[in-house]
Amino acid sequence: VGLFAIFGILRFRTDPIPIKEMAYLFVSIAISIINALSFDFFFTHQVLIANVIVWIILALMEQMMYHKKDASMLMVYDRISLLASNRKPELIDDIVKRTGLKVNSVKVKQFDLLKETADIIVYFTP
């Protein structure tokens, strides 16, 4: 019940906390509760081994989840003629020349034909 109260206070009284940081907060609170309650039943080395296993699993999960993701960026693009589906390689080459990013793909979000611009999402490898 105390954990729900803590997370409720964090949720409504502070700026939004990213999911990753909230997960680390929850794991550290859970490990400290387990450590506090387990010294009556287990030896110190068993508790230490359990803590190391939890942190190794957490590190491996983070490595798998966040290691190979592409980053994305919203851009206002001014050459509408390159937005045709048959000119996608030219579009990517133009963005690479202008930004120097290693662009993987591009998605058109919105056109503005009066201003001759488009909002595009560029997916790139950081």
Side-chain angles (χ1 to χ4, degrees):
V1 174
L3 284 176
F4 290 116
I6 290 170
F7 289 130
I9 291 170
L10 287 174
R11 168 77 172 92
F12 296 112
R13 296 287 183 179
T14 62
D15 291 332
I17 298 173
I19 293 172
K20 183 178 173 183
E21 291 178 18
M22 185 66 89
Y24 278 120
L25 178 65
F26 179 73
V27 167
S28 56
I29 290 173
I31 284 179
S32 53
I33 289 172
I34 290 169
N35 289 344
L37 297 175
S38 65
F39 277 113
D40 293 338
F41 304 107
F42 300 106
F43 295 112
T44 305
H45 67 280
Q46 292 172 327
V47 173
L48 206 67
I49 290 171
N51 287 342
V52 169
I53 289 172
V54 168
W55 286 111
I56 288 173
I57 290 171
L58 192 64
L60 290 174
M61 286 176 58
E62 181 177 349
Q63 192 76 5
M64 287 187 306
M65 290 176 64
Y66 294 106
H67 185 63
K68 295 184 179 181
K69 286 207 173 185
D70 288 343
S72 65
M73 177 186 305
L74 181 65
M75 283 187 186
V76 178
Y77 192 69
D78 60 347
R79 294 183 65 192
I80 288 189
S81 62
L82 294 179
L83 296 177
S85 60
N86 59 348
R87 298 185 74 185
K88 199 161 216 159
E90 294 175 53
L91 171 65
I92 291 175
D93 288 340
D94 186 50
I95 294 171
V96 168
K97 286 177 190 173
R98 289 180 173 199
T99 63
L101 298 172
K102 186 178 178 183
V103 177
N104 298 328
S105 66
V106 176
K107 180 179 177 185
V108 178
K109 186 174 180 186
Q110 179 177 328
F111 285 96
D112 188 352
L113 296 176
L114 293 176
K115 295 180 184 176
E116 293 188 7
T117 61
D119 294 337
I120 61 173
I121 301 172
V122 178
Y123 297 96
F124 63 95
T125 304

